[in-house]
Amino acid sequence: MFFFSRSSAKLVAPLGCLVSRQKHTLPDLPYDYAALEPHINAEIMQLHHSKHHATYVNNLNVVEEKYKEALAKGDVTAQVSLQPALKFNGGGHINHTIFWTNLSPNGGGEPKGELLEAIKRDFGSFANFKEKLTAASVGVQGSGWGWLGYNKEQGRLQIAACANQDPLQGTTGLIPLLGIDVWEHAYYLQYKNVRPDYLKAIWNVINWENVSSRYAACKK
């Protein structure tokens, strides 16, 4: 399991560093709440960011304080009991921090360059990749995420789905490149229970520049 550092937003090893860390904070969006309309409306974005993500951040800070106390006391039972809350709220913070940067009012279309070539290599075509990631996201039972990740050991792209707020890298080892939130709070106010309509719309605001940058960075 991993958390974001305060200064660089890179994934860092968590639990051993709890004593000296600063508190997590809600990141600002790089665009206005209404910027992704008509594909994702302003009300959804405001609630999703300022309420749901903020709750994960607040709860993560609380549970980390409790974990720090358990570490100081050598209370292994308490440390173990706190793991689910660390995973859920830490994952929620990680996932959403990636998610906001994966979206852009100037997004959509197809990626270019090295990422597009990798997609064609590993999925046959961009259209086939898009179909597979959409299917994986639609198929999540209940709440969760659809992901495009990078398998560093195999040097290839992979599609995965994670339940709830399970962080991709911490639970599968894949480096997260593109995440699609399929919790109902990400789309219900606009698309009701028709998740496929939300997934069709979100491709219009995918920030391929950001995804390509993440891909280039993880290959170094």
Side-chain angles (χ1 to χ4, degrees), residues 10-213:
K10 293 181 179 178
L11 295 174
V12 293
L15 304 180
C17 304
L18 292 181
V19 174
S20 60
R21 70 158 187 86
Q22 294 179 331
K23 286 190 175 183
H24 300 281
T25 57
L26 181 68
D28 294 331
L29 293 186
Y31 40 77
D32 294 334
Y33 287 136
L36 303 182
E37 291 186 339
H39 310 293
I40 305 176
N41 69 35
E43 184 179 13
I44 287 176
M45 291 299 296
Q46 182 174 12
L47 290 171
H48 198 172
H49 175 257
S50 68
K51 301 298 182 182
H52 291 281
H53 189 175
T55 297
Y56 297 127
V57 171
N58 293 336
N59 289 343
L60 178 59
N61 285 322
V62 170
V63 74
E64 283 193 346
E65 285 300 318
K66 292 180 179 179
Y67 198 95
K68 183 174 70 174
E69 294 173 4
L71 280 174
K73 295 177 181 178
D75 188 343
V76 177
T77 297
Q79 293 171 44
V80 171
S81 70
L82 289 167
Q83 289 296 317
L86 279 170
K87 182 180 182 181
F88 182 77
N89 293 292
H93 183 34
I94 289 171
N95 294 342
H96 284 87
T97 301
I98 295 170
F99 182 62
W100 307 131
T101 65
N102 279 169
L103 305 176
S104 169
N106 301 313
E110 298 185 4
K112 299 177 181 179
E114 192 176 13
L115 177 60
L116 180 58
E117 293 307 310
I119 287 173
K120 291 179 178 178
R121 179 196 67 208
D122 294 330
F123 302 104
S125 67
F126 177 76
N128 194 41
F129 152 73
K130 183 176 175 180
E131 181 180 347
K132 287 182 178 295
L133 182 52
T134 298
S137 302
V138 169
V140 171
Q141 295 186 353
S143 301
W145 292 74
W147 288 98
L148 171 66
Y150 180 66
N151 186 320
K152 200 169 184 68
E153 290 185 0
Q154 297 181 12
R156 59 185 293 265
L157 302 173
Q158 287 184 221
I159 288 171
C162 292
N164 299 313
Q165 292 297 349
D166 291 1
L168 183 70
Q169 189 167 9
T171 54
T172 70
L174 298 176
I175 300 172
L177 303 179
L178 170 61
I180 300 178
D181 189 346
V182 290
W183 280 66
E184 284 193 342
H185 63 235
Y187 61 89
Y188 194 86
L189 290 177
Q190 186 171 0
Y191 295 98
K192 306 309 178 187
N193 64 332
V194 190
R195 184 186 289 178
D197 285 355
Y198 158 69
L199 289 164
K200 181 179 180 181
I202 202 170
W203 289 104
N204 293 296
V205 290
I206 296 298
N207 184 355
W208 289 115
E209 183 177 346
N210 174 264
V211 180
S212 295
S213 296

